[in-house]
Amino acid sequence: MQMDAIEAAAVLARARQGDSDAFRVLVERHSRNVFRLAFRMTGNEQDAEDVVQESFLRAYRQLGRFESRANFGTWLYRIVVNCSVDLMRARQARQAQARIESLDELDVIPTPAEGPGPERLAQSAEIGARVADAMSGLSPLERAAFTLRHYEGRSIDEISRMLGLRTSATKHSVFRAVRKLRIALAVLK
Amino acid sequence: MTHYTEDDLILYYYGEGRRRGDPSTSSGSPQALWRDDVEHHLETCAACAKAYRALAETLQLVPVIDVPEREESYGLDVWQRIRSRLPEPVVPWWHGWFGWKRLSLAGAAVAIVIGAFVAGRMWPPRAPASPVVAVDPNEAGARVRLAATSDHLDRSERVLLDLMNAEGQTVDLTDQQAWSADLIDSNRLYRDAAARAGDELVANVLDELERSLLEIVHGPSMPKAAELDEVRARVDLAALLFKVRILADELHEREIAPTQPRKIT
């Protein structure tokens, strides 16, 4: 659904006044992008669906705080990121025993006995599985920071603003995520 | 020769850091990475170049995440799932004053006042009656306090809203700081009055509000986006805007029908 800027502003203004039909237009317009980001952040379809719903509910509750001069998509993006982090924290708390806890644990992933070279493996499911394993071992903030930096191409400053972290903390999250991924993928090289 | 750390190389890989000659670099932190320096170093240092190649090869192995496609109708599906769960939206305090219900009530009030005035002019004067209802001075004082405090909260909410909605790389908060400075003195008076009246709820919110107002006054007038975000995060974390808004509404209601102050649970 395409809307020009004036129509979009009018819809947003109505939504901010509590017009649920106007909010429905916003939901229909942004849902697919929200799902894409939520899936990249959580790595799980069901979790992504939960994030989509929670993000729109949160956005609706906070519409009064949204400044109409700002970009609704960017504002919503930030909400999605924070909902994803909240969900990952809750999930990690539930699955604390199952997840990979530290670099040390990543270190002991068994080396495949025989296998094709890295060029072939680059396309293989094994890399995907190892990355998924390593990603599930990241803390929610590490995962969020890495996803936003690596997949979404956001700068460290932007990520810091989205996550409400200091720049140094954001960098640290990215560094730790990269180190864990390097260890997980080292055996393939 | 000073070698670059893995962290530096990760930042370099992701295009972070500033180039020499970038004017924003002069105000940057000592840790700011100079891409030109790294580039030059990688050309001359075999060990760092090898480390960088290894890092880049690994990160290039990280596959693109295959996101499941959603159909065109997905937005409608989402809407149908959330529509019954939509809460009452939190709208800016002044929006309510322009609602048709408020306007019609105001219109009715004006009509009654005009009607009473006209009737008073037309009816013959009568001897004044002695008052039959004594006004409790404590209750009158409480009403005045509630009215003044709710007005104060409305003004404070506007400052907080300005802060929360400010946009841009650098924001000029000079007006908000002056406004906050004005509000701090009255905030202390109302907080003390609420405490004396045993109104713990009001006193606590005003106490939190004072801390935020002080932070605004003593913070930079032109904060960078990151600095502003830190202040906003603290306001957000304390749900201060929400508390101020709810308390203002409650005080408006208490003005109409005063009750014993609530205790915080």
Side-chain angles (χ1 to χ4, degrees), chain A residues 1 15-18 20-21 23-24 27-28 31-32 35-36 39-40 45 48-49 52-54 56-57 60-67 69-70 78 118 121-122 127-128 131 135 143 146-147 149-151 154-157 160-162 164 166-167 171 174-175 178-179 181-182 185 188-189, chain B residues 6-8 10-11 13-16 18 29 31-32 51 53-55 57-76 78-83 85-92 94-95 161 164-167 169 225-226 229-230 232-234 236 241 245:
Chain A
M1 184 190 301
R16 290 181 71 214
Q17 290 169 28
S20 58
D21 286 337
F23 190 68
R24 170 186 171 164
V27 171
E28 291 191 32
S31 281
R32 294 172 82 194
F35 175 78
R36 271 193 284 275
F39 186 85
R40 287 197 186 104
E45 204 164 345
E49 291 288 3
V52 171
Q53 291 185 47
E54 178 57 26
F56 280 116
L57 289 170
Y60 191 75
R61 281 196 293 269
Q62 296 176 4
L63 266 176
R65 284 167 42 184
F66 173 70
E67 168 57 58
R69 285 171 299 175
R78 187 173 170 161
L121 281 172
I127 292 179
V131 170
M135 293 284 275
R143 181 175 180 125
F146 179 78
T147 302
R149 179 60 269 188
H150 188 85
Y151 292 112
R154 299 284 170 161
S155 72
I156 295 289
D157 286 343
S160 302
R161 284 198 292 276
M162 280 184 198
R166 289 181 181 280
T167 308
K171 284 180 184 173
V174 173
F175 297 153
V178 171
R179 278 190 205 111
L181 284 166
R182 290 192 75 183
L185 297 175
L188 301 174
K189 297 179 69 183
Chain B
E6 184 188 31
D7 293 350
D8 291 332
I10 290 169
L11 290 178
Y13 175 84
Y14 283 125
E16 296 285 342
R18 302 181 180 100
S29 66
Q31 292 81 22
R53 274 197 305 277
L55 170 73
E57 281 170 11
T58 305
L59 288 174
Q60 281 159 10
L61 276 180
V62 176
V64 172
I65 293 178
D66 210 4
V67 180
E69 256 315 306
R70 286 295 182 263
E71 293 178 357
E72 282 289 332
S73 61
Y74 177 65
L76 185 58
V78 172
W79 170 250
Q80 284 169 347
R81 274 181 269 153
I82 65 169
R83 62 186 302 184
R85 295 165 58 198
L86 288 182
E88 285 293 313
V90 179
V91 296
W94 45 267
H95 275 196
L161 272 172
M164 298 303 278
N165 292 332
E167 280 277 318
Q169 283 302 305
D229 276 345
E230 281 177 25
R232 282 200 282 227
R234 282 194 284 277
D236 218 10
L241 194 53
R245 187 175 290 146

Side-chain angles (χ1 to χ4, degrees), chain B residues 166-178:
Chain B
E167 280 277 318
Q169 283 302 305
T170 51
V171 176
D172 187 354
L173 292 182
T174 312
D175 289 344
Q176 285 81 1
Q177 285 182 314

Side-chain angles (χ1 to χ4, degrees), chain B residues 45-232:
Chain B
C45 173
C48 286
K50 186 180 174 188
Y52 180 71
R53 274 197 305 277
L55 170 73
E57 281 170 11
T58 305
L59 288 174
Q60 281 159 10
L61 276 180
V62 176
V64 172
I65 293 178
D66 210 4
V67 180
E69 256 315 306
R70 286 295 182 263
E71 293 178 357
E72 282 289 332
S73 61
Y74 177 65
L76 185 58
D77 295 341
V78 172
W79 170 250
Q80 284 169 347
R81 274 181 269 153
I82 65 169
R83 62 186 302 184
S84 62
R85 295 165 58 198
L86 288 182
E88 285 293 313
V90 179
V91 296
W93 64 274
W94 45 267
H95 275 196
W97 294 101
F98 297 101
W100 66 270
K101 283 182 183 170
R102 293 252 189 185
L103 287 176
S104 54
L105 279 175
V110 168
I112 289 169
V113 169
I114 291 172
F117 176 76
V118 171
R121 301 279 293 179
M122 293 178 69
W123 252 251
R126 293 163 60 178
S130 57
V132 292
V133 178
V135 176
D136 180 352
N138 289 336
E139 189 179 308
R143 277 179 192 274
V144 170
R145 181 176 65 79
L146 292 177
T149 308
S150 63
D151 287 343
H152 169 73
L153 288 169
D154 285 343
R155 289 195 294 276
S156 303
E157 186 186 355
R158 289 178 63 186
V159 174
L160 293 174
L161 272 172
D162 281 355
L163 182 80
M164 298 303 278
N165 292 332
E167 280 277 318
Q169 283 302 305
T170 51
V171 176
D172 187 354
L173 292 182
T174 312
D175 289 344
Q176 285 81 1
Q177 285 182 314
W179 204 353
S180 299
D182 289 340
L183 288 169
I184 284 172
D185 288 338
S186 45
N187 192 78
R188 285 178 183 147
L189 284 175
Y190 297 134
R191 185 195 57 200
D192 292 343
R196 279 198 301 276
D199 203 338
E200 206 179 333
L201 174 69
V202 175
N204 286 344
V205 173
L206 291 176
D207 201 43
E208 282 185 52
L209 178 59
E210 183 177 327
R211 285 198 290 274
S212 288
L213 292 174
L214 282 169
E215 193 174 3
I216 294 169
V217 169
H218 296 304
S221 301
M222 306 276 284
K224 291 178 183 161
E227 292 172 323
L228 186 59
D229 276 345
E230 281 177 25
V231 178
R232 282 200 282 227

